[in-house]
Amino acid sequence: MSRVTVLTGAVALGLSAFVARGAEDHAAHQHALEDHSVGQPEDHSAHQHHDSMPAASPPSQAEPTESERQHVPPDPPQLQMHDMSAQDMFELMQMDDTARFGRVLLDQLEWTRSDGRDVLSWETQAWYGGDYDKVWLKADGESIAGNQEGRIELLWDRAFARWWNLQAGVRHDFSGGPSRTWAAFGVQGLAPYWFEVDAAAYVGEGGRTAARFSAEYELLLSQRLILQPQLELEVYGKGDPRNGLGAGLADTRLGLRLRYEIRRELAPYAGVVWSRLYGATADLARAAGHDADDLQFVIGLRAWF
């Protein structure tokens, strides 16, 4: 065999081995690609880490306050408003300025003892009407050992300012002596610093004249306990000896009462009242065997409805 033949066979054998080796590598590479597509997905966590981070949360709202936590919202309206006339609206909301109303006030009903005798006294008012015009009734007096004396006034009341009313009408006095009738004119209202004021002038038969003034104040010691000072005085322009009255300043009364309101409409009270007579009125009282001044402890009841 020649040397050329041997060399040619060796080259052919090497080429065939190289081709076989390349086919095996290609098959292995293809098999790896198929396994990768069928198996688990490729782990991209390294380059996806930034994208997978959670978004920044918005800033939290302020915490509710204690008042907001305790607040209970009201129930929604149960009555649906519908279109209505002005008159229907006034009736529904009670906005009628011409409505009538009234009250009976038993301001004082009290008991005390004076000169060894039981004394029952009273002071009451009643009114009925609208915002501007009312009919007003006032009565006060006392009963001593079955003998009664006092006054009754029937008045027309007209509001002329926010806190003040004009009053005009008739007054009738009754006592152990002759009864007297007067024309009455006055004002009643709330003075500065919440003083309740009642001032009136009277003109009677025979040229008689008189004036009466009272003021009181309510001091709230609590929502139910109320201290009430009161001042009253009377002046007469002409003496009336048959009724124990002299000309000039006739008497003053200063009272201090402490009441407890069981309800606004019902309040028992206790207090002290000092009264004094002056001038000719005091002389007539002494002549009849009475003192010109008196200090009394009283218990009573205040009520209205």
Side-chain angles (χ1 to χ4, degrees):
M1 180 177 295
S2 64
R3 190 177 292 178
V4 173
T5 304
V6 174
L7 181 59
T8 302
V11 171
L13 181 61
L15 290 173
S16 61
F18 178 77
V19 170
R21 178 68 178 176
E24 291 177 0
D25 293 340
H26 179 73
H29 180 69
Q30 183 69 27
H31 181 71
L33 290 175
E34 292 176 354
D35 291 344
H36 178 75
S37 62
V38 174
Q40 296 295 326
E42 183 180 358
D43 186 7
H44 300 283
S45 61
H47 63 270
Q48 291 181 350
H49 175 71
H50 178 73
D51 297 336
S52 62
M53 292 181 65
S57 60
S60 60
Q61 297 181 351
E63 291 294 329
T65 64
E66 182 67 21
S67 176
E68 291 172 338
R69 286 194 294 268
Q70 294 182 358
H71 174 67
V72 179
D75 294 334
Q78 303 297 318
L79 177 63
Q80 297 296 328
M81 301 295 292
H82 56 82
D83 293 338
M84 61 181 66
S85 66
Q87 184 62 35
D88 292 338
M89 179 67 74
F90 294 157
E91 293 178 359
L92 177 65
M93 302 188 70
Q94 298 181 357
M95 297 172 58
D96 185 6
D97 290 340
T98 63
R100 300 289 185 266
F101 57 93
R103 174 178 291 183
V104 176
L105 170 63
L106 183 59
D107 196 23
Q108 297 173 14
L109 179 62
E110 59 191 31
W111 171 89
T112 187
R113 286 187 65 85
S114 177
D115 296 331
R117 297 176 296 179
D118 293 331
V119 179
L120 179 66
S121 59
W122 62 88
E123 185 174 321
T124 185
Q125 300 185 44
W127 62 88
Y128 179 82
D131 290 337
Y132 291 94
D133 296 284
K134 299 180 184 68
V135 176
W136 208 292
L137 179 67
K138 301 179 182 180
D140 63 87
E142 61 183 14
S143 175
I144 304 175
N147 298 318
Q148 298 181 357
E149 60 180 37
R151 66 175 60 86
I152 298 176
E153 298 183 47
L154 182 62
L155 306 167
W156 167 75
D157 179 275
R158 171 70 179 181
F160 70 93
R162 178 173 296 181
W163 306 109
W164 292 94
N165 297 357
L166 282 172
Q167 296 181 334
V170 62
R171 162 184 160 181
H172 181 73
D173 294 352
F174 58 92
S175 64
S179 60
R180 305 297 185 191
T181 302
W182 314 73
F185 309 92
V187 293
Q188 179 172 309
L190 196 62
Y193 303 101
W194 304 99
F195 284 92
E196 297 183 21
V197 173
D198 186 356
Y202 306 95
V203 178
E205 54 189 352
R208 293 185 174 88
T209 58
R212 187 168 183 260
F213 174 84
S214 68
E216 62 185 43
Y217 181 81
E218 293 188 345
L219 178 62
L220 273 68
L221 304 179
S222 72
Q223 290 295 320
R224 294 182 180 272
L225 196 62
I226 300 172
L227 184 65
Q228 184 184 45
Q230 183 183 42
L231 170 66
E232 298 179 353
L233 61 88
E234 287 185 299
V235 178
Y236 289 90
K238 185 178 181 179
D240 187 1
R242 299 179 63 186
N243 283 305
L245 298 172
L249 178 61
D251 66 89
T252 59
R253 291 171 60 89
L254 182 62
L256 187 64
R257 298 171 175 86
L258 180 65
R259 73 173 183 264
Y260 180 80
E261 293 186 341
I262 301 173
R263 301 195 308 269
R264 295 299 182 193
E265 302 90 345
L266 184 66
Y269 65 84
V272 58
V273 178
W274 177 72
S275 58
R276 180 175 177 81
L277 305 177
Y278 300 90
T281 303
D283 295 337
L284 291 170
R286 294 188 187 96
H290 305 298
D291 294 330
D293 61 278
D294 192 15
L295 182 66
Q296 303 172 352
F297 295 93
V298 300
I299 57 174
L301 181 69
R302 184 180 191 269
W304 59 266
F305 54 90

